[in-house]
Amino acid sequence: MERLRAQYEVESPKSLEHAAKVIAGEQSSGTFLKLAGETDALRQRSGARVELIEEQSHSASPSLPTRTQGSQYSRGVITLSWPLDNMGTSLTNVLATVAGNLFELADVSALRLIDVDFPDAFSQAYPGPAFGRKGTLDLAGVSNGPMIGTIIKPSVGLSPDETAQLVLQLIEGGIDFIKDDELQGNGPHCPFPERARKVMRVINDYADRTGKKPMYAFNITGEVDEMKRNADLVHELGGTCIMVSLFSIGLAGLSAIRTHAALPLHCHRNGWGLFSRSPDIGISFRAWQKFWRLAGADHLHVNGIANKFTESDETVMESARALGENVTPNQTYHAMPVFSSGQTAVQMEQTITALGHTDFIYCAGGGIIGHPGGVAGGVASIQQAAAAAVQGIPVDAFAKDHKELRLALSTFRKN
């Protein structure tokens, strides 16, 4: 019988063996005392199994408040497994199993879900991304280098007409990709249907004139029926991308839109710090992104090099590389990394070198609009930085013959 596995970093006021046994029971057939119905046969059939315990360190005090006190607190990694018969190939029920009522157990003083190993049965049950990396690049007409993108700013406050005017400025500057900010949904000051119609009128007119159709990710986040209606509208208008906020709509919402909409799903992880910032509690991106890719995410935000948030460059690149790994033993379901947060031409060389390919979206707000040469100069500077990295030419050497890149480096490089 196939089994699903999950790895955790655990700290406990008791032994790790005890903590692992408590978590395994709580998240399968057990409770705080043995019940008559919990027979040996039932535990053998449905109980979670402790597969591995690796003790790593000890401390004199707990990392998180806990009602259970100990003389020392043991920390390490444990691996548990469950029979698929417990939850079936249901992502929502897997999440309840591997990340349910365990973070608040008194027998743990720190707990992070760090990975989940999905059997191939999940790739048979879920279609995964409809477009992924290659499909997105083909749809956007980008054949060489990363997709250069930006975000509508100010995030909120612009009318549909003002949004469309900004879009025109951006696409005439050579942008490949534009997205709504996650704060801009379907508010009264900028209703979704009106914004979509006016933005797509600008994009379609530009495509008719030039043969190039930039991709715009419309934020459809909302109730499921509302999202379906708005996805249909974007498709009818000739749009090529829709965006959702993952933690707002959940796995079921993402899966429902993947099944309904024939458009790439640009997936924003706003709220990510809640799960990632503490080393002592939460869920890793490595674990989360497997759920999201199975459910249909085509693009996933991973932050960016030298970003304005707390994540290290190493963590950012680990997240980006994870999107190119198999999601089950025999299924790829590659998703496109989206780099954002304070990105300019300065970080491009390091990004490409660390990732090892150019199949990604590179979103720069101030790095494009704040360029001394305007939008066109900002886009050109990032394209030039990418060309330098692909050709293996140091960015400063390349900049000597490329004015836009030279201006970007002098403007955005930190002393």
Side-chain angles (χ1 to χ4, degrees):
M1 179 189 299
E2 286 190 300
R3 298 182 72 85
L4 179 134
R5 287 172 168 75
Q7 292 80 47
Y8 302 88
E9 185 174 0
V10 181
E11 181 187 274
S12 176
K14 298 184 178 181
S15 69
L16 290 185
E17 290 80 3
H18 174 82
K21 182 178 178 181
V22 169
I23 294 171
E26 180 72 22
Q27 295 309 115
S28 60
S29 60
T31 184
F32 67 95
L33 77 167
K34 185 175 180 180
L35 302 177
E38 190 189 355
T39 63
D40 291 342
L42 185 144
R43 282 199 305 275
Q44 179 66 28
R45 181 176 68 250
S46 301
R49 196 160 66 200
V50 178
E51 301 284 357
L52 183 68
I53 298 174
E54 297 178 353
E55 194 162 307
Q56 296 176 334
S57 63
H58 300 87
S59 59
S61 58
S63 296
L64 296 173
T66 180
R67 190 163 48 83
T68 302
Q69 301 298 308
S71 57
Q72 71 170 5
Y73 296 82
S74 303
R75 194 169 186 127
V77 174
I78 67 171
T79 300
L80 307 181
S81 73
W82 294 261
L84 285 194
D85 281 353
N86 281 20
M87 76 292 285
T89 52
S90 163
L91 290 178
T92 51
N93 287 315
V94 169
L95 187 61
T97 298
V98 302
N101 288 336
L102 62 162
F103 297 99
E104 60 267 44
L105 287 169
D107 293 294
V108 299
S109 51
L111 182 65
R112 280 186 62 81
L113 172 63
I114 55 178
D115 204 356
V116 180
D117 295 327
F118 286 96
D120 281 320
F122 283 86
S123 60
Q124 297 162 15
Y126 288 89
F131 293 82
R133 285 164 26 183
K134 185 178 186 304
T136 296
L137 293 168
D138 289 346
L139 194 58
V142 177
S143 58
N144 186 28
M147 288 178 65
I148 310 303
T150 193
I151 309 98
I152 294 294
K153 297 290 183 179
S155 307
V156 292
L158 298 179
S159 68
D161 284 322
E162 290 168 331
T163 303
Q165 290 167 11
L166 178 56
V167 169
L168 179 61
Q169 177 187 354
L170 292 168
I171 61 178
E172 287 185 338
I175 205 82
D176 300 315
F177 176 87
I178 307 169
K179 63 175 284 292
D180 280 332
D181 190 89
E182 67 272 15
L183 299 177
Q184 179 60 70
N186 190 19
H189 72 281
C190 193
F192 186 93
E194 186 180 355
R195 181 170 82 254
R197 289 188 176 93
K198 292 187 173 179
V199 166
M200 284 313 305
R201 186 177 301 131
V202 167
I203 291 175
N204 288 331
D205 287 348
Y206 180 82
D208 290 341
R209 285 189 285 112
T210 66
K212 177 183 177 180
K213 190 172 190 177
M215 181 175 281
Y216 190 106
F218 290 95
N219 183 17
I220 65 168
T221 302
E223 301 299 326
V224 172
D225 288 345
E226 177 190 11
M227 289 194 292
K228 290 180 177 180
R229 287 194 303 271
N230 287 336
D232 290 343
L233 176 61
V234 171
H235 190 266
E236 290 166 9
L237 294 171
T240 54
C241 193
I242 50 179
M243 170 183 149
V244 293
S245 294
L246 291 166
F247 293 122
S248 296
I249 70 169
L251 287 169
L254 178 60
S255 184
I257 291 303
R258 163 62 179 92
T259 303
H260 179 82
L263 293 170
L265 289 172
H266 185 87
C267 297
H268 202 297
R269 62 177 193 178
N270 48 87
W272 173 239
L274 179 66
F275 295 92
S276 66
R277 191 162 188 176
S278 172
D280 299 315
I281 193 166
I283 302 176
S284 75
F285 185 81
R286 172 169 290 280
W288 264 126
Q289 55 88 23
K290 291 181 180 179
F291 283 94
W292 294 329
R293 285 160 63 196
L294 282 165
D298 293 286
H299 314 155
L300 282 164
H301 280 241
V302 296
N303 215 330
I305 297 291
N307 61 79
K308 66 182 179 183
F309 298 118
T310 62
E311 283 189 277
S312 68
D313 294 348
E314 180 183 7
T315 301
V316 168
M317 298 315 301
E318 285 176 358
S319 297
R321 287 190 290 266
L323 301 185
E325 298 172 1
N326 279 17
V327 73
T328 68
N330 294 299
Q331 184 55 262
T332 54
Y333 284 173
H334 292 169
M336 178 168 273
V338 182
F339 294 96
S340 62
S341 172
Q343 302 304 286
T344 71
V346 174
Q347 298 102 313
M348 180 60 80
E349 181 180 37
Q350 187 179 353
T351 300
I352 291 178
T353 300
L355 187 59
H357 63 78
T358 60
D359 294 349
F360 58 86
I361 298 173
Y362 195 78
C363 281
I368 288 176
I369 299 173
H371 189 279
V375 171
V379 172
S381 73
I382 295 174
Q383 291 171 334
Q384 291 161 8
V390 169
Q391 295 173 44
I393 301 172
V395 67
D396 288 293
F398 201 81
K400 292 178 181 178
D401 298 320
H402 295 85
K403 177 183 177 182
E404 294 85 359
L405 179 56
R406 189 166 63 252
L407 284 172
L409 296 180
S410 63
T411 300
F412 301 118
R413 184 175 273 163
K414 297 176 182 177
N415 295 325

